[in-house]
Amino acid sequence: MVSKRFFVIFTIVFALLLGLPFTSTSQRQPNVEQRIDALLARMTLQEKLGQLQQLDGEANGNFRPEHRDLIRKGLLGSTLNVRGAQRTNELQRIAVEESRLKIPVLFGFDVIHGYRTIFPVPLAEASSWDSAAAEASASIAAAEARAAGVHWTFAPMVDIARDARWGRIVEGAGEDPYLGAAMARARVRGFQGHDYSAVNKVMACAKHWVAYGAAEAGRDYNTTDMSERTLREIYFPPFKATVDEGVGTFMSAFNDLNGVPASANPFTLTKVLRGEWKFDGFVVSDYTAVLELLQHGLATNEADAAQLSLNAGVDMEMVSRLYNQHGAELLRSGKISQATVDEAVRRVLRMKFRLGLFDRPYADDARERSVILSAANVSAAREIAGRSIVLLKNDRETLPLAKNLKSIAVIGPLADNQVDMLGSWTGDGITADVVTLLTGIKSKVSPTTKVSYAKGCEIAGDSTQGFDEAVRVARDADVVVVAVGESAGMSGEASSRSSLDLPGRQLELVKALQATGKPVVVVLMNGRPLTINWMAENSHAILETWFAGTQAGNAISDVLFGDVNPGGKLPVTFPRNVGQEPLYYNHLNTGRPPDANNKYTSKYLDVPWTPLYPFGFGLSYTQFRLSNLQLSAPRIRADGRITVSVDIENVGPRAGDEVVQLYIRDVAASVTRPVRELKGFQRLTLRPAEKRRLEFMLGPEQLGFYDREMRWVVEPGEFKVMVGNSSADPNELVASFEVQK
Ligand code: BGC
């Protein structure tokens, strides 16, 4: 005790001498809650409701003249989309110098995968299975955004998505709660750091709470209806991970959830989030989601909508103004309480303090100029994009390509396309910064290599006019690289599709190129799994590059020519046809699991039940071998832990990355369990012939589940452990152990 106190005093004195900050912001301001009390005591009801209001400053970063006025009167707590040091400072000055209580404005913006330097879309980053990469990209995005006056990003989106029709699958980490939680944690860490009052950090927002990704039929904004167990085991974990990481805010979703829309759902917003998880930040509604309670048929009028959301636990209202318009009357009639209003305001102010806005409200435009799109940021974007690329097929070692080929044909509507590479949610990214695939290839090959280009066709549309030229260009080349896929606008919000096929005439273009007999490398650029059976069967090589961001062309070329050996793995299942959706690896077994020799089992008449590419799948230019799987004990107690160890060896010709994946199956339990569940993974780089022993730990957090009474339990019985390079690795290693009574 004495020595601990001595150590603390010593550290403080030492830090003071050095002039170092020695505590986090919240610790530096032990009296934050008292300062909030003091503010609350002085605030009028309208000023309080103003703190609960967020308005859209319009997409081009301007703000509406009305906002100036509202801020001057203390009636607007936050904006979205206003950005840039100069613009934000202009508004902030009004808040801090002209409003009665001088409460700073909170500037929010969708910094989803980069601010100006755009990184690969989040689904791509999840394909890296590399949380350090996701953290690094979020950290750079935060530094750029904060320099531009943005305090708060509406990210990460941590919605689990099991249905590729849903366009917003591109914004998340795919279908798995374990991988999703790892990515969620990394991204919050990257955005916020340990102290988001820092000049290079922003406050994060876990969205969309909750189950938005389960929209029926993959149609955006649609209803979701699911068991509490599925919510808790599949959809909650990435959100819980963000709370564990100290996320500042949550966003309530648009969807109906089991009959109570997520933006008015006391179970999720209060019982789970505040009660069970002790979240002390605030919840913002999604865009006009409070008003939409009328359309849902939950609210009878606007005042009712405000009351339902606020009482359920939505603190700040985005864009619609019902709290403001009806707060006073609701308070008078007793439909909301003063305590509820004060608590919501307290949460918002707490985050403004935690962001350091009362001490440093302004952005610094010199910093903005030096940080944004810096050479270091751009090179990180290239590296992270390279780590996100997944090699789906590589027959006869078509890839990597030699840099001194005589000639390469670069073809396709996405081959020289700056617009779509950025994907959905482009932050402040601009297309002029984007390196296209054609440019990337040209700067990679030797000066003697002839690179010719033809567009072939558009992404969508019916014209085949460009086919002849494309075929001519292909015939003249040693190898054809064809870039096909979706436009950026085909995934993202309000961009669900009922077909997962390549749009337009692109598949015909690929077929025409294939008919030339030249080796064809397909470079896919897309925001969701696509049904690519023909290419999977006939093309020589396929690279899944998603939308790889500002440095797309350079990163893809690094992989095409072998400077980077691809090590990404799919974070989501690729179906053979859209009718298989939702298709995901961690499903239950059914009483009649598929059996090719028995019609009366769970499958389709017209398509195999298996995916085209399974979750976790991805190839490399080298090969790896797993061996020597061992468990530290044959049996453990329910509260015990077991270590799983395995050797991984690079048995191929080049250095490369493998993602070793550990799955478990609880063979029989009081509640049926998935056929497999990911419970560990490690991405590592090995030189040729290098061998390493990896360890994974399994304990109650990995082995448990929610029982019939929704209690987390580890039940006795047999557990299988499977270690492989995907969720369907034919050479995976298997062992079992027992949990004892
Ligand atoms: C989206 C959110 C986004 C918000 C603000 C909504 O339409 O659903 O994800 O953060 O707009 O732009």
Side-chain angles (χ1 to χ4, degrees):
M1 195 62 211
V2 171
S3 62
K4 194 172 162 201
R5 190 177 306 148
F6 173 78
F7 179 74
V8 171
I9 293 169
F10 175 80
T11 312
I12 292 173
V13 171
F14 190 69
L16 283 173
L17 286 175
L18 288 178
L20 293 176
F22 52 86
T23 49
S24 73
T25 314
S26 42
Q27 287 167 318
R28 267 204 309 277
Q29 301 165 332
N31 56 351
V32 162
E33 299 300 320
Q34 286 99 302
R35 288 177 73 183
I36 296 173
D37 287 337
L39 275 171
L40 281 169
R42 295 180 61 204
M43 290 168 90
T44 64
L45 176 63
Q46 283 315 318
E47 284 168 334
K48 288 178 181 174
L49 295 171
Q51 287 303 310
L52 307 184
Q53 180 71 62
Q54 180 178 68
L55 292 176
D56 190 344
E58 319 225 286
N60 63 4
N62 283 327
F63 42 83
R64 298 176 182 159
E66 182 202 4
H67 293 179
R68 277 204 193 90
D69 198 40
L70 288 173
I71 289 171
R72 193 170 290 115
K73 293 183 180 138
L75 301 181
L76 182 56
S78 177
T79 67
L80 70 154
N81 291 327
V82 177
R83 57 194 186 275
Q86 201 201 332
R87 291 232 158 253
T88 54
N89 285 346
E90 196 180 333
L91 271 193
Q92 194 66 293
R93 194 152 288 123
I94 299 173
V96 172
E97 292 176 18
E98 298 177 31
S99 79
R100 192 175 75 90
L101 295 172
K102 313 195 177 333
I103 299 174
V105 180
L106 174 60
F107 296 109
F109 187 46
D110 290 276
V111 183
I112 307 296
H113 52 110
Y115 179 75
R116 171 70 184 272
T117 308
I118 303 300
F119 289 83
V121 290
L123 189 63
E125 282 191 0
S127 305
S128 73
W129 292 57
D130 179 355
S131 23
E135 181 177 341
S137 102
S139 175
I140 291 170
E144 291 193 351
R146 189 69 183 253
V150 172
H151 309 132
W152 178 25
T153 174
F154 305 122
M157 187 199 96
V158 300
D159 293 311
I160 295 293
R162 293 172 148 184
D163 190 331
R165 292 173 293 182
W166 189 53
R168 302 197 80 169
I169 195 170
V170 67
E171 293 175 51
E175 73 189 40
D176 183 67
Y178 186 89
L179 177 63
M183 288 294 148
R185 252 191 310 275
R187 294 168 70 79
V188 172
R189 220 166 27 238
F191 285 131
Q192 294 192 163
H194 66 276
D195 175 0
Y196 44 88
S197 72
V199 288
N200 57 354
K201 291 294 164 197
V202 293
M203 179 167 69
C205 180
K207 72 186 189 185
H208 307 81
W209 181 240
V210 57
Y212 180 43
E216 273 178 15
R219 184 160 53 81
D220 206 6
Y221 315 120
N222 204 5
T223 304
T224 59
D225 194 288
M226 67 172 63
S227 70
E228 187 176 337
R229 177 169 303 100
T230 302
L231 272 175
R232 288 189 181 273
E233 290 183 1
I234 306 293
Y235 289 83
F236 283 4
F239 286 96
K240 175 62 164 55
T242 68
V243 174
D244 293 344
E245 203 57 52
V247 74
T249 61
F250 263 50
M251 185 185 291
S252 68
F254 287 128
N255 54 288
D256 189 299
L257 175 62
N258 300 337
V260 184
S263 288
N265 194 312
F267 168 66
T268 54
L269 292 163
T270 295
K271 181 166 184 292
V272 174
L273 185 58
R274 268 71 180 238
E276 296 178 21
W277 296 355
K278 312 288 177 231
F279 171 69
D280 76 345
F282 73 84
V283 176
V284 64
S285 77
D286 205 341
Y287 211 99
T288 64
V290 177
L291 178 64
E292 289 167 27
L293 296 177
L294 281 131
Q295 297 282 9
H296 277 289
L298 193 80
T300 46
N301 54 44
E302 292 187 347
D304 197 28
Q307 171 272 115
L308 285 163
S309 278
L310 188 65
N311 283 330
V314 174
D315 304 298
M316 182 183 278
E317 184 179 359
M318 189 190 286
V319 174
S320 52
R321 308 187 187 199
L322 309 191
Y323 287 11
N324 262 270
Q325 287 161 352
H326 303 283
E329 118 208 13
L330 287 168
L331 203 55
R332 269 197 306 276
S333 62
K335 296 213 170 103
I336 58 173
S337 70
Q338 188 64 54
T340 304
V341 173
D342 285 0
E343 182 55 27
V345 176
R346 173 180 298 281
R347 290 174 184 145
V348 171
L349 293 177
R350 187 184 288 147
M351 294 302 120
K352 290 189 175 184
F353 276 107
R354 229 170 254 180
L355 273 159
L357 301 189
F358 286 89
D359 301 331
R360 273 178 291 102
Y362 298 115
D364 166 359
D365 33 355
R367 193 181 151 74
E368 181 181 35
R369 281 191 299 277
S370 69
V371 170
I372 288 201
L373 206 70
S374 71
N377 295 359
V378 170
S379 100
R382 178 174 184 162
E383 192 192 324
I384 291 168
R387 292 180 78 73
S388 305
I389 290 171
V390 187
L391 178 64
L392 294 178
K393 183 176 182 190
N394 193 17
D395 266 10
R396 283 171 271 153
E397 295 186 5
T398 307
L399 293 177
L401 302 173
K403 289 180 189 163
N404 59 358
L405 285 168
K406 262 204 352 267
S407 59
I408 303 182
V410 183
I411 295 175
L414 286 149
D416 194 26
N417 175 321
Q418 287 183 304
V419 175
D420 293 297
M421 292 309 81
L422 295 179
S424 97
W425 293 115
T426 53
D428 220 27
I430 56 174
T431 53
D433 299 337
V434 175
V435 178
T436 70
L437 178 59
L438 180 63
T439 307
I441 289 178
K442 280 185 176 158
S443 57
K444 184 69 81 176
V445 293
S446 75
T448 55
T449 303
K450 182 176 160 220
V451 180
S452 30
Y453 163 75
K455 190 171 187 184
C457 63
E458 300 296 332
I459 297 169
D462 264 341
S463 171
T464 55
Q465 265 179 9
F467 277 27
D468 288 348
E469 190 205 351
V471 167
R472 213 169 27 249
V473 167
R475 281 213 183 97
D476 280 350
D478 297 333
V479 64
V480 178
V481 175
V482 58
V484 289
E486 299 182 304
S487 67
M490 286 178 184
S491 60
E493 187 175 350
S495 300
S496 296
R497 293 180 62 207
S498 70
S499 160
L500 301 178
D501 291 341
L502 277 180
R505 309 301 280 264
Q506 295 180 93
L507 180 58
E508 284 163 68
L509 174 67
V510 177
K511 287 181 178 175
L513 299 173
Q514 198 84 44
T516 63
K518 301 285 178 176
V520 174
V521 176
V522 176
V523 173
L524 287 175
M525 299 175 179
N526 46 310
R528 58 157 64 74
L530 295 176
T531 43
I532 50 168
N533 307 309
W534 191 90
M535 294 186 290
E537 191 124 312
N538 298 286
S539 304
H540 291 72
I542 306 176
L543 271 189
E544 175 55 85
T545 71
W546 309 108
F547 293 120
T550 305
Q551 282 288 302
N554 284 334
I556 299 168
S557 302
D558 288 340
V559 171
L560 284 173
F561 294 91
D563 290 336
V564 169
N565 188 349
K569 302 275 184 177
L570 296 178
V572 64
T573 303
F574 271 47
R576 295 167 192 274
N577 79 32
V578 70
Q580 291 177 292
E581 293 286 331
L583 184 65
Y584 49 91
Y585 84 94
N586 50 352
H587 57 84
L588 301 178
N589 203 32
T590 80
R592 295 186 176 194
D595 173 353
N597 299 315
N598 183 351
K599 174 165 193 222
Y600 294 95
T601 59
S602 182
K603 54 188 198 285
Y604 296 101
L605 290 176
D606 54 350
V607 67
W609 69 83
T610 52
L612 180 64
Y613 294 113
F615 172 83
F617 177 78
L619 303 169
S620 165
Y621 297 153
T622 186
Q623 293 87 43
F624 298 93
R625 190 189 303 130
L626 285 164
S627 61
N628 201 11
L629 176 67
Q630 278 178 350
L631 306 181
S632 57
R635 59 192 68 83
I636 58 168
R637 291 173 16 163
D639 60 355
R641 298 187 173 275
I642 190 164
T643 306
V644 180
S645 43
V646 70
D647 286 338
I648 173 84
E649 184 179 3
N650 182 346
V651 292
R654 344 169 138 242
D657 284 18
E658 179 60 299
V659 181
V660 179
Q661 302 162 39
L662 178 145
Y663 297 88
I664 64 158
R665 177 168 184 182
D666 183 345
V667 179
S670 62
V671 170
T672 51
R673 304 303 305 150
V675 293
R676 62 172 64 226
E677 297 174 82
L678 182 72
K679 294 295 176 182
F681 64 87
Q682 293 182 43
R683 177 170 177 158
L684 74 169
T685 307
L686 293 178
R687 295 184 306 276
E690 189 181 351
K691 185 173 182 173
R692 239 187 273 166
R693 189 142 188 88
L694 303 182
E695 286 197 347
F696 297 89
M697 180 76 86
L698 295 173
E701 313 84 77
Q702 289 80 31
L703 302 175
F705 62 88
Y706 286 95
D707 72 3
R708 297 183 193 187
E709 275 75 48
M710 290 299 130
R711 292 172 309 213
W712 186 257
V713 291
V714 178
E715 284 188 356
E718 186 194 351
F719 281 77
K720 273 170 88 177
V721 175
M722 296 150 278
V723 179
N725 62 17
S726 85
S727 63
D729 174 2
N731 300 316
E732 75 181 0
L733 304 175
V734 183
S736 348
F737 67 94
E738 206 180 304
V739 170
Q740 285 174 319
K741 280 209 173 61

